[in-house]
Amino acid sequence: MVEEQDERILAELQKDGRATNQQLAETVGMSTSACWRRVRALEEAGVISGYSALVARERAGFATSAILHVSLERHDVKFVDEFVARVTQRREVLECFATTGDADYHLRVVVRDMDAYNRFLDEFMFRIPGIRHVRTNVILKEIKTGVALPF
Amino acid sequence: MVEEQDERILAELQKDGRATNQQLAETVGMSTSACWRRVRALEEAGVISGYSALVARERAGFATSAILHVSLERHDVKFVDEFVARVTQRREVLECFATTGDADYHLRVVVRDMDAYNRFLDEFMFRIPGIRHVRTNVILKEIKTGVALPF
DNA sequence: CCATATTTGGTAATATCTACCAAACTGGAG
DNA sequence: CTCCAGTTTGGTAGATATTACCAAATATGG
């Protein structure tokens, strides 16, 4: 089970995923070896599923992003599985959630420009079988893009 | 400007944010010192805005998440700034985007359970001045939660 | 309260980071 | 083409960090 000390480690590693074990041990208040073993355990238990550099979208040349509301025509496993498989594959789709509400799925898509977004729709999204409706909500401004769980 | 080699570095550091400089240099095919300097430059230029451990939401005890569509009553800077300030503050709100479409904002909120979500609405969201409408779309399933830009 | 299992801090060999150097490369100007 | 100044490169070595191991301390439950 994830407990008090682990949560401090997780919180800190979310803030700085490249903190050295020594820094980490100091900020959470334990010895380097104890700290190191807990981190390792969290990794092996899959609580920490990985580490990532956070790249500034615009500075890296991705000017355009959007949130898509997608509804499927029918909800056979066949269509659903196909949709999930394709969306998982496609790297422009950063996030995809099955949700309650009007749409079946919420997707966040990131591309270099509007042209690329148009191609994304034509060549990918509109060709997925069983799609009823796709509504694009262009992202005008990123107020916040966090990854850290609120421990 | 971000070029070819930098993109390979960014792609790799998105996949493994704790790759050692040696591994990284090898996979992108340059010397450790050249690689290290480029990474440092990307950090200082703010292209890499940070590093983070990716924590498995459910395993860390956050069972509930939702996507909120929020509309403001009026769009005075006063209300907008207040909304942005509060939402930025609040740690349960992982993401917030100003979008085109019916709603003004899309938020992703993560909490430990439905009870906490209810409190989040009552004690936080519904008390923000100038809110016209909040629609909750509970996340039934996370198909994909990526952070890596599609280089 | 005791016996056992788990977790802890310290240590030392190994691996890595990071600042520095001289050499190689780049791209204008003549 | 040739030269030169400005970058970028690879190598190196001292400082730092990682990681496996041990014995001591702490928690568990009968």
Side-chain angles (χ1 to χ4, degrees):
Chain A
M1 191 69 291
V2 176
E3 55 189 79
E4 164 66 18
Q5 266 175 323
D6 291 316
E7 292 201 349
R8 284 223 298 282
I9 289 177
L10 291 171
E12 188 56 27
L13 282 178
Q14 284 187 144
K15 271 200 293 205
D16 180 5
R18 281 198 82 117
T20 67
N21 186 54
Q22 300 196 337
Q23 293 175 287
L24 188 61
E26 185 168 7
T27 54
V28 304
M30 52 177 110
S31 74
T32 56
S33 40
C35 182
W36 184 78
R37 246 168 302 126
R38 289 192 101 98
V39 171
R40 200 160 168 283
L42 289 166
E43 289 169 357
E44 283 172 359
V47 178
I48 296 173
S49 62
Y51 298 88
S52 182
L54 305 177
V55 179
R57 185 179 52 76
E58 293 232 47
R59 291 187 193 199
F62 293 86
T64 304
S65 58
I67 288 172
L68 278 68
H69 300 178
V70 177
S71 302
L72 296 190
E73 200 69 69
R74 316 186 55 240
H75 295 149
D76 302 77
V77 257
K78 216 170 73 176
F79 285 118
V80 171
D81 287 357
E82 179 72 14
F83 176 78
V84 167
R86 294 208 193 188
V87 150
T88 303
Q89 190 72 0
R90 191 78 178 192
R91 284 160 8 103
E92 291 97 325
V93 180
L94 261 51
E95 302 175 343
C96 176
F97 305 102
T99 60
T100 63
D102 289 343
D104 296 324
Y105 298 96
H106 279 75
L107 281 69
R108 182 160 66 100
V109 171
V110 171
V111 289
R112 294 197 178 270
D113 50 38
M114 264 300 165
D115 208 58
Y117 184 67
N118 194 44
R119 283 200 306 279
F120 169 81
L121 287 179
D122 283 351
E123 294 169 16
F124 174 71
M125 193 53 72
F126 294 154
R127 295 195 186 174
I128 299 177
I131 296 241
R132 189 216 308 267
H133 189 237
V134 177
R135 184 174 26 236
T136 294
N137 300 271
V138 173
I139 293 177
L140 302 169
K141 189 162 198 291
E142 288 184 352
I143 312 297
K144 186 177 191 177
T145 55
V147 294
L149 300 176
F151 287 109
Chain B
M1 191 70 290
V2 177
E3 54 190 80
E4 164 67 16
Q5 265 175 322
D6 291 316
E7 291 201 350
R8 285 223 297 282
I9 289 176
L10 292 171
E12 187 57 27
L13 282 179
Q14 283 187 145
K15 272 199 293 206
D16 180 6
R18 280 199 84 117
T20 68
N21 186 53
Q22 300 195 337
Q23 293 175 287
L24 188 61
E26 185 169 7
T27 53
V28 305
M30 51 178 113
S31 73
T32 56
S33 39
C35 182
W36 184 76
R37 246 169 301 129
R38 289 192 100 97
V39 171
R40 200 159 166 284
L42 289 166
E43 289 169 358
E44 283 174 358
V47 178
I48 296 174
S49 62
Y51 297 88
S52 182
L54 305 177
V55 179
R57 186 180 50 77
E58 293 233 49
R59 292 187 192 200
F62 293 86
T64 303
S65 58
I67 288 172
L68 279 68
H69 300 178
V70 177
S71 302
L72 296 190
E73 200 68 71
R74 316 187 53 240
H75 295 148
D76 302 76
V77 257
K78 213 171 73 176
F79 285 117
V80 171
D81 287 357
E82 178 72 14
F83 176 77
V84 167
R86 293 209 194 188
V87 150
T88 303
Q89 191 72 358
R90 191 78 178 190
R91 284 160 8 102
E92 291 97 323
V93 180
L94 261 51
E95 302 174 344
C96 176
F97 304 103
T99 60
T100 64
D102 289 343
D104 295 325
Y105 298 96
H106 278 76
L107 281 68
R108 182 160 65 101
V109 172
V110 171
V111 289
R112 294 197 179 270
D113 50 39
M114 265 298 163
D115 208 58
Y117 184 66
N118 194 43
R119 284 201 305 279
F120 169 82
L121 286 180
D122 282 352
E123 294 169 15
F124 174 71
M125 192 54 70
F126 293 153
R127 295 194 187 177
I128 298 177
I131 295 241
R132 189 215 308 267
H133 189 237
V134 177
R135 183 173 28 236
T136 294
N137 301 271
V138 174
I139 293 177
L140 302 169
K141 190 163 198 290
E142 289 185 352
I143 312 296
K144 187 177 190 177
T145 56
V147 293
L149 300 176
F151 287 109

